[in-house]
Amino acid sequence: SSDAASASRLPWGRRAMKLSRQVAAFRYLRDPRISITETAALVGFSEPSTFYRAFKRWTGKTPGNFRINRDI
């Protein structure tokens, strides 16, 4: 994907940080006690809308669809 291609151009530390953000988001979204808005804040997004766009870019799904389907 274009996201993967752009990520490969990032310095190693930034790639690792981006990946850890994604893994944390997946983990938080699997916990129904944590809201999507709270997940966005926990992984470092100041605005939920920015998190929604990033998550959709990472996975092709919205955080809500991911949560419902328990993907990845």
Side-chain angles (χ1 to χ4, degrees), residues 33-54:
R33 298 169 298 179
I34 302 172
S35 72
I36 294 172
T37 299
E38 189 176 4
T39 296
L42 287 167
V43 297
F45 287 87
S46 59
E47 295 292 329
S49 60
T50 308
F51 171 67
Y52 274 75
R53 283 192 302 275

Side-chain angles (χ1 to χ4, degrees), residues 2-72:
S2 62
D3 193 44
S6 64
S8 68
R9 291 189 295 269
L10 292 172
W12 183 87
R14 297 223 14 232
R15 281 193 310 253
M17 187 170 70
K18 182 177 179 180
L19 181 59
S20 65
R21 251 183 158 183
Q22 292 172 0
V23 170
F26 299 151
R27 185 172 299 133
Y28 292 134
L29 288 170
R30 285 193 181 101
D31 186 338
R33 298 169 298 179
I34 302 172
S35 72
I36 294 172
T37 299
E38 189 176 4
T39 296
L42 287 167
V43 297
F45 287 87
S46 59
E47 295 292 329
S49 60
T50 308
F51 171 67
Y52 274 75
R53 283 192 302 275
F55 194 87
K56 183 133 187 182
R57 192 172 56 247
W58 301 338
T59 67
K61 299 178 183 203
T62 66
N65 283 340
F66 173 87
R67 178 169 268 174
I68 290 168
N69 297 318
R70 299 277 196 246
D71 292 337
I72 301 180

